[in-house]
Amino acid sequence: STEGGAGTMERQTEACGRAEVTEPETKGSAINKYTTFLVQVVLDGETLCGRKRYSDFEWLRATMMSHFPGIPMWPLPRKQTTGRFEAAFIESRR
């Protein structure tokens, strides 16, 4: 067995929990249109689910950065004013 290989990383990730962002869904009228994503988190065998908007991910990232300074965090995709409800853009955000 190889120590520190990809299998080790997967086991460590699973030991900490797992999160998935799936099923984008666009709602609202032309003026108040927005997209939500289904977020599923598994921790200690318990599954938590909820639909979240982009602003919820912005809040989570900002909160994590303030509580865990010095820990690298992936950037979120940039906001876009036109074409933000197109399938390709929504998928790139997921």
Side-chain angles (χ1 to χ4, degrees):
S1 112
T2 308
E3 247 180 83
T8 302
M9 178 65 86
E10 288 173 18
R11 284 191 297 279
Q12 289 173 346
T13 302
E14 287 294 320
C16 295
R18 182 174 50 88
E20 291 181 314
V21 179
T22 60
E23 299 179 30
E25 193 174 282
T26 300
K27 294 183 175 191
S29 64
I31 296 173
N32 298 321
K33 208 171 192 182
Y34 61 93
T35 301
T36 63
F37 298 88
L38 179 63
V39 178
Q40 295 178 300
V41 178
V42 179
L43 293 170
D44 295 327
E46 184 176 347
T47 302
L48 308 166
C49 305
R51 295 206 72 82
K52 300 296 175 189
R53 295 174 67 164
Y54 182 83
S55 59
D56 297 316
F57 292 101
E58 287 180 312
W59 173 86
L60 176 61
R61 186 174 190 278
T63 301
M64 289 177 67
M65 288 178 70
S66 70
H67 282 87
F68 304 104
I71 302 294
M73 304 267 175
W74 288 102
L76 293 174
R78 293 193 321 218
K79 285 193 168 193
Q80 184 170 316
T81 54
T82 59
R84 67 178 191 225
F85 300 111
E86 293 175 9
F89 178 70
I90 291 171
E91 182 59 26
S92 73
R93 273 193 162 177
R94 185 174 75 83

